[in-house]
Amino acid sequence: MTTATVTRVTGTLAEARPLREAGLYELVRVGARGLLGEIIRFKDEIATLQIYEDTTGLAVGAPVIATGAPLTVTLGPGLLGAMLDGVGRPLARLAAASGDFIAPGASAPTLDPARRWAFTATAALGAAVRGGDVLGTVEEQPGFVHRVLVPPGVEGALAALASGDYTVDEPIGRLADGTALTLAQRWPLRRPRPVAERLPADRPVVTGQRVFDLLFPLAEGGAVAVPGGFGTGKTVIEHGLARHADADVVVFVGCGERGNEIAEVVQEFPRLIDPKNGRPVMERTVLVVNTSNMPVVAREASVYLGVTIAEYYRDQGYRVAVMVDSLSRWAEALRDIAARLQEMPGEEGYPTHLASRLGQLYERAGRATAAGAPTRTGAVSLVCAVSPPGGDFSEPVTQASLRVAGGMWALDASLARKRQFPAVDWALSYSLYTDATAAWFADAAGLDWAAVRTRVLALLQRDAELREIAGLLGHEALQDRDRVVIDVARMLHEHLLGQSAYDPIDAACPVAKTGRMAALAVAALDAALAAVERGATIDELELPALRRAYVALRAAPPDAIAARAADVERAIAALEVRR
Amino acid sequence: MIAVRTHHGARALIGALAYVEDARGAAMGEVVELRQAGQPPRRGQVIDASDGLTVIQILEEPIGLAPARVAITLTGATAEAPVGRELLGRTLSGVAAPLDDLPPPIGEALRPVWGAPMNPVRRRPPGDFIETGVSAIDGLNTLVRGQKLPVFSGAGLPALELAAQIVEHARAGAGEPFAVVFAAIGITARETRLFVERLRASPARSRTVFYLNEARDPTIEQLMTPRFALAQAEFLAFDAGMHVLVVMADVAHYCETLRQVAAARDEVPGRRGYPGYMYTDLASLFERAGVLHDRPGSLTQLPILTMPDDDITHPVPDLTGYITEGQVVLSRELHGQGVFPPIDVLPSLSRLMNAGIGATKTAPEHRRWADQLYASYARGREARLMATIVGEAGLSDPDRRALTFAADFERELIGQGHARRTIGETIAVGWRLLAALPRDDLERIDDATWARRPGAAP
């Protein structure tokens, strides 16, 4: 360990010397309180440190201790259900140590050092093992098998391994060369974990949101950006996905956002039941939380921490979804640090390395065959909220995200103001995963998903054109067949694309129901247009009755979907009754 | 941090910044005293501590300071605020010096003005309804305890009047202790008077602490004023168990001062010259709102900010909106029509509304009632826009009905005047307006809710 003294403190940065023996990105402890920091630059004799905690009171002359290792996270059983701060400290144990408010310099290990886990060894003694091989299992949560892996880069003959109860730090076995094996392993969070082979996307992550599953799907291993001004519902979407997305593990990174929203998650997730296994959603969730008033440098680390944890479960063969809310706050942390380093600013003050750092981050999403034996396939899917200043998508973080993300769910303030949620601008949004996921959806819903999707988009497009005309020439200028389009499109906007996050039934929509609702809207349009073609006027059509039946279908619980869908079919057949 | 030490002379004085050479052991945020013969003493704080040049931000008017003669004392302490129940009823400066001819406050404790972040797992999700008596807020953008809900105003719009009305009318539950902390940040004496006078006759007066930094006071002090106020508010809420409402006006002035300091330090400017860390800085104020587990009090914030040129995309309202849990937006158009309070509900939002409404809190049908009012009003506003192009005759029948609805809504529900309305009265007005529309126009209301509405046939 090398020691040095602080020569300067300005905001979140400090300078110290001499630290010539230390390495770049090495972790340091600063001052009497032992504030956590990281070396980010060497220049002449001076090392620049970014400090992960509040620096108020840190004085020139304070001691600096270099720890000899970069910022790492301890990965092992006990992560599921945990709530960590941006550098991996468990918030509950920090509260036990320092109370309701977080005191600088507090420390607590990521995983509970006292907890014992029942480990079942599966690897054969004497076998040659290497990074990624499964040594055995631990039941981390009821029904959730945590696979204990040989850490990447480690290999040798397995000399000892025994089932039993262990803490995360106790040796469960060793290699012939004496290397101890434990339930936990450490990994530097800025470095992607290795995989055997990256795989193309072949199925979606079902979001339960009709507008996404139908029009802009997220592929397993894919990444989408969700840009939207304030109040457009980014956080509600991210929370909804964390609740309902069909993933084995969900990592939610609250990066520079509101404490009260996190409090809501913390209260709600342990009570919310995952319908797939009847267990609380919290048991499959890892929360990484760095609220906007917590230290800005830790905000930068929090996103890497979340992705590293996700990769660790991917390596065990799980499908992991990561939600980041919001990536803009992460980018602002980069900007803040770069500005204090007096780096030459790029666009809007962001550092010139913004795009490349963003690219590296998005690339950590993906489907892959994990390293090691037995063969496992896992995926990390990434959904990143972006908060463009003034809701202007031309800003650097949105634009850099779009270059690397496979989809954009663009949120629109004018829809939000009408309380049309999710406020997705369907004309601006896109997904590059529609082809890769269409077959899976078609199979799950039992209908031609791609064809229905095309028809819905065409209807939305036609509706937008017609409304533009009506806006210029008046409603009178439209013919009945155009008014029918507008009428059905209104129903579609309101009840197919619109979805209430607060209604227990509507909050998550099964794929089959989404497909059915979309197909029925298209059938209704065809029937209404055919009737007009036969000479009916729009006032003679029973469109209000159709809409009522459609609203009832939207509100239908799973066991009533078939009956309500049949009602809509009858209403379509009876459209011309009034005549 | 080490003991008190004094330096004679400054290397440079630039605006409100003093540069001192070789200030050994200077600490980030350390409180500094500047003394000079024939000059009033001044306070400052270290914002860049270095074994080379240390930068000190002077919190008071720097006129007359001479680099060769000034004595700069580093006190070895970081800024602390006197806090306590005895401060209620007092009028203090922006840094807690007395302005009311009483001795300086001693308080029950000294607290660091910078505060510390609440541990998110110790936060209790806010969900206790605050009845402000304002329909547009209670009915459509419900405020709850522990929320931060700013008022986005424009020059000349009655934001402070609205805030005063809320302070006057907001009711805590029977027997629950409440308090108001008012931080004036660079507003005019006239604005302060307006607020103080509204409160004078109300029982809230003796339960209010005023921290006043008016336009004539040193601007740098504005960076400290909200922090002194929040330190006091945190004590009242979390140590004394009171329900505290913090009114801060005007956040736009605060941001300008932040920009001024950043420019003086040659920092890389962000949007419109505001520093890139403004989001983080504002968050360090707004995130101090909240409620905690196992503690009875609450800290609710009602910051007021003036949108330059009524532009909601300007960095000040924009960054604020990203931090706060919604916003109440005032409309020049409604103000011009004599509607009070002139709240435009479409861009307004309360993110915590759902937690604060419902059967046990307001009314069982509140959510759908509000959704329908929003949907019908939004349709009416769209129709109004369309009517300016194609004329009212060119509208479809439902659009024409929505147009009439929008006008009634603005006049009757929003434009309640200065009277107080209970939540029950607000809900009743809403139902009366909705009843004027045919059932088929009310798509956000399901049959069960419709059947339960007041006045429905049994």
Side-chain angles (χ1 to χ4, degrees):
Chain A
M1 261 189 246
T2 38
T3 59
T5 34
V6 171
T7 57
R8 187 180 175 200
V9 191
T10 167
T12 56
L13 292 190
E15 291 175 355
R17 80 170 165 230
L19 273 172
R20 304 183 74 165
E21 300 303 311
L24 213 50
Y25 289 100
E26 187 169 325
L27 208 61
V28 291
R29 287 280 181 179
V30 183
R33 288 178 298 177
L35 304 183
L36 208 57
E38 203 177 20
I39 302 173
I40 54 169
R41 183 166 75 177
F42 288 104
K43 198 176 177 192
D44 304 326
E45 287 280 279
I46 306 277
T48 304
L49 321 172
Q50 57 180 14
I51 312 284
Y52 285 111
E53 303 183 76
D54 181 21
T55 56
T56 303
L58 181 62
V60 171
V64 176
I65 297 169
T67 62
L71 185 60
T72 56
V73 53
T74 308
L75 301 165
L79 287 170
L80 292 183
M83 293 167 259
L84 308 172
D85 79 352
V87 289
R89 297 179 298 190
L91 288 165
R93 258 175 293 135
L94 280 187
S98 74
D100 292 346
F101 296 85
I102 298 176
S107 73
T110 302
L111 301 175
D112 186 345
R115 171 135 187 208
R116 306 190 80 83
W117 300 91
F119 171 70
T120 309
T122 57
L125 283 183
V129 294
R130 57 191 178 84
D133 285 353
V134 177
L135 291 169
T137 60
V138 159
E139 190 175 22
E140 184 175 5
Q141 293 282 6
F144 188 96
V145 175
H146 185 111
R147 299 188 179 100
V148 179
L149 308 177
V150 177
V154 171
E155 61 183 308
L158 191 59
L161 188 72
S163 300
D165 287 357
Y166 299 98
T167 68
V168 288
D169 301 318
E170 285 169 350
I172 55 172
R174 64 183 158 72
L175 299 183
D177 65 1
T179 306
L181 299 166
T182 56
L183 293 181
Q185 53 179 278
R186 301 186 72 81
W187 187 258
L189 42 87
R190 293 176 200 285
R191 195 180 305 154
R193 285 174 64 90
V195 294
E197 190 191 1
R198 289 180 70 102
L199 302 170
D202 69 345
R203 58 158 288 179
V205 176
V206 176
T207 65
Q209 299 291 307
R210 290 184 287 266
V211 60
F212 301 138
D213 290 341
L214 180 67
L215 300 180
F216 312 110
L218 166 64
E220 206 167 270
V224 297
V226 191
F230 66 81
T232 52
K234 291 182 299 299
T235 300
V236 176
I237 287 175
E238 295 267 8
H239 284 195
L241 287 178
R243 284 188 202 106
H244 306 299
D246 77 349
D248 301 319
V249 173
V250 168
V251 180
F252 187 91
V253 184
C255 174
E257 291 285 313
R258 303 174 183 89
N260 280 335
E261 288 171 351
I262 298 299
E264 198 188 305
V265 172
V266 171
Q267 171 169 286
E268 186 197 324
F269 277 29
R271 298 178 192 172
L272 203 70
I273 299 300
D274 182 352
K276 286 194 294 295
N277 58 6
R279 303 295 312 171
V281 167
M282 195 65 209
E283 288 181 3
R284 66 157 194 185
T285 307
V286 184
L287 288 177
V288 176
V289 176
N290 194 251
T291 57
S292 55
N293 59 336
M294 286 161 76
V296 68
V297 180
R299 204 189 287 170
E300 193 253 356
S302 67
V303 174
Y304 293 112
L305 177 67
V307 174
T308 303
I309 293 172
E311 287 177 343
Y312 176 62
Y313 283 97
R314 173 205 64 197
D315 293 348
Q316 295 176 40
Y318 289 112
R319 306 178 302 128
V320 189
V322 183
M323 279 94 214
V324 179
D325 185 17
S326 137
L327 205 55
S328 294
R329 305 304 163 221
W330 172 83
E332 281 165 15
L334 289 188
R335 176 168 69 182
D336 194 9
I337 296 159
R340 287 183 200 277
L341 290 171
Q342 303 206 306
E343 284 180 10
M344 181 64 86
E347 230 178 314
E348 295 205 16
Y350 285 104
T352 47
H353 58 250
L354 172 70
S356 61
R357 294 281 295 273
L358 256 170
Q360 287 160 2
L361 180 68
Y362 274 100
E363 276 300 283
R364 290 179 74 168
R367 228 178 117 242
T369 306
T375 306
R376 305 170 306 274
T377 304
V380 173
S381 315
L382 196 56
V383 179
C384 295
V386 176
S387 317
D392 173 8
F393 291 175
S394 68
E395 60 93 35
V397 183
T398 310
Q399 287 305 313
S401 292
L402 293 185
R403 283 211 293 273
V404 281
M408 162 157 85
W409 297 342
L411 304 184
D412 178 51
S414 67
L415 289 174
R417 286 177 183 187
K418 285 191 274 185
R419 299 305 191 261
Q420 162 89 36
F421 288 113
V424 177
D425 181 335
W426 59 269
L428 210 54
S429 300
Y430 65 82
S431 163
L432 303 180
Y433 308 119
T434 48
D435 293 345
T437 56
W440 189 96
F441 275 121
D443 195 40
L447 49 82
D448 188 345
W449 195 266
V452 171
R453 176 179 185 275
T454 308
R455 286 294 310 275
V456 167
L457 277 174
L459 171 56
L460 292 171
Q461 181 66 43
R462 182 71 189 138
D463 170 60
E465 289 163 11
L466 290 172
R467 277 200 287 173
E468 201 164 316
I469 295 169
L472 290 172
L473 304 174
H475 204 71
E476 309 279 86
L478 298 179
Q479 295 179 308
D480 272 3
R481 66 163 186 270
D482 298 336
R483 293 187 192 186
V484 162
V485 170
I486 290 185
D487 208 277
V488 175
R490 185 181 279 280
M491 182 175 90
L492 202 130
H493 277 292
E494 184 86 10
H495 301 298
L496 180 67
L497 305 186
Q499 201 169 338
S500 168
Y502 301 107
D503 183 287
I505 289 165
D506 207 25
C509 190
V511 170
K513 183 175 174 182
T514 299
R516 201 72 206 277
M517 285 181 72
L520 284 168
V522 171
L525 177 71
D526 290 343
L529 285 176
V532 170
E533 210 60 42
R534 285 193 293 273
T537 68
I538 186 166
D539 296 326
E540 289 169 343
L541 299 180
E542 271 295 356
L543 288 166
L546 168 69
R547 201 176 303 123
R548 280 195 293 274
Y550 203 75
V551 171
L553 170 59
R554 174 188 176 183
D559 57 358
I561 294 171
R564 295 292 86 77
D567 290 347
V568 176
E569 274 169 356
R570 272 192 290 279
I572 292 172
L575 265 179
E576 284 182 86
V577 161
R578 254 198 233 183
R579 238 178 136 194
Chain B
M1 223 173 299
I2 49 176
V4 179
R5 55 261 184 241
T6 300
H7 294 259
H8 292 279
R11 171 73 181 273
L13 287 169
I14 302 171
L17 300 180
Y19 293 75
V20 184
E21 216 157 11
D22 200 20
R24 222 158 291 151
M28 187 69 191
E30 187 170 357
V31 173
V32 174
E33 282 164 11
L34 299 98
R35 289 175 194 278
Q36 183 179 318
Q39 289 272 334
R42 292 171 175 88
R43 287 197 284 180
Q45 61 189 3
V46 174
I47 57 173
D48 186 343
S50 168
D51 61 357
L53 270 186
T54 289
V55 186
I56 292 160
Q57 185 176 75
I58 306 167
L59 292 174
E60 280 137 309
E61 192 52 69
I63 293 175
L65 281 183
R69 281 180 285 145
V70 68
I72 296 173
T73 304
L74 288 100
T75 61
T78 50
E80 289 183 316
V83 296
R85 277 163 283 206
E86 62 179 72
L87 271 65
L88 290 172
R90 301 278 319 252
T91 303
L92 305 170
S93 78
V95 288
L99 294 180
D100 50 9
D101 301 324
L102 292 170
I106 296 166
E108 297 169 63
L110 284 173
R111 288 287 159 83
V113 298
W114 303 99
M118 278 182 202
N119 188 320
V121 302
R122 296 299 303 156
R123 281 180 183 268
R124 188 151 47 93
D128 296 331
F129 172 61
I130 300 178
E131 191 179 79
T132 64
V134 178
S135 289
I137 296 177
D138 294 349
L140 296 160
N141 296 287
T142 313
L143 177 68
V144 298
R145 279 182 187 157
Q147 185 173 11
K148 41 202 181 285
L149 187 66
V151 179
F152 286 8
S153 182
L157 296 182
L160 264 176
E161 253 178 83
L162 174 62
Q165 179 164 340
I166 291 170
V167 167
E168 227 177 327
H169 287 166
R171 292 199 181 144
E176 287 185 307
F178 75 98
V180 177
V181 175
F182 180 76
I185 308 166
I187 62 175
T188 62
R190 186 188 57 75
E191 288 171 300
T192 309
R193 205 161 51 239
L194 179 146
F195 191 86
V196 175
E197 253 153 40
R198 279 294 300 273
L199 246 55
R200 187 152 288 157
S202 112
R205 178 71 186 88
S206 63
R207 303 181 150 276
T208 302
V209 200
F210 293 93
Y211 289 88
L212 303 183
N213 174 286
E214 293 177 347
R216 61 185 166 192
D217 296 323
T219 47
I220 302 294
E221 192 182 282
Q222 291 172 9
L223 298 181
M224 302 305 285
T225 304
R227 297 190 159 89
F228 272 87
L230 286 165
Q232 163 73 359
E234 278 174 347
F235 179 87
L236 293 177
F238 304 124
D239 289 72
M242 305 175 100
H243 295 294
V244 186
L245 186 62
V246 181
V247 178
M248 296 189 271
D250 184 316
V251 175
H253 296 304
Y254 175 87
C255 293
E256 272 155 32
T257 305
L258 207 60
R259 174 167 67 176
Q260 189 186 324
V261 172
R265 296 191 63 197
D266 295 328
E267 289 176 7
V268 179
R271 273 174 79 218
R272 301 218 192 172
Y274 292 96
Y277 51 78
M278 192 156 87
Y279 175 86
T280 303
D281 190 281
L282 286 173
S284 74
L285 301 181
F286 297 144
E287 276 292 320
R288 290 170 83 170
V291 269
L292 288 165
H293 285 293
D294 312 321
R295 299 211 198 202
S298 64
L299 200 166
T300 309
Q301 291 186 18
L302 208 61
I304 290 168
L305 66 89
T306 303
M307 300 183 281
D309 199 25
D310 296 353
D311 176 9
I312 200 167
T313 68
H314 183 278
V316 176
D318 190 52
L319 294 180
T320 300
Y322 274 122
I323 303 164
T324 55
E325 285 126 3
Q327 63 278 337
V328 172
V329 182
L330 301 191
S331 149
R332 196 166 296 283
E333 205 183 315
L334 290 176
H335 183 59
Q337 290 163 16
V339 170
F340 185 87
I343 296 173
D344 184 352
V345 297
L346 293 190
S348 298
L349 169 74
S350 166
R351 293 170 187 271
L352 302 181
M353 175 166 176
N354 283 306
I357 62 174
T360 57
K361 293 168 176 174
T362 54
E365 69 282 9
H366 195 151
R367 180 74 261 167
R368 289 182 191 273
W369 172 93
D371 283 350
Q372 186 59 58
L373 284 172
Y374 260 110
S376 298
Y377 180 57
R379 187 162 191 182
R381 285 272 294 264
E382 231 168 73
R384 188 183 289 168
L385 201 65
M386 211 192 285
T388 59
I389 305 168
V390 301
E392 234 175 277
L395 299 179
S396 68
D397 288 343
D399 280 345
R400 242 192 316 266
R401 290 194 292 269
L403 190 66
T404 313
F405 172 86
D408 294 344
F409 175 86
E410 287 170 357
R411 200 176 50 246
E412 293 176 33
L413 192 111
I414 305 296
Q416 67 185 90
H418 295 275
R420 182 178 200 288
R421 269 196 200 144
T422 65
I423 180 65
E425 288 165 346
T426 295
I427 300 266
V429 172
W431 277 122
R432 185 156 49 73
L433 293 169
L434 290 175
L437 295 171
R439 175 70 184 98
D440 275 336
D441 282 7
L442 307 176
E443 283 190 40
R444 304 270 171 116
I445 291 186
D446 59 0
D447 290 336
T449 309
W450 183 245
R452 277 199 310 269
R453 76 192 188 281

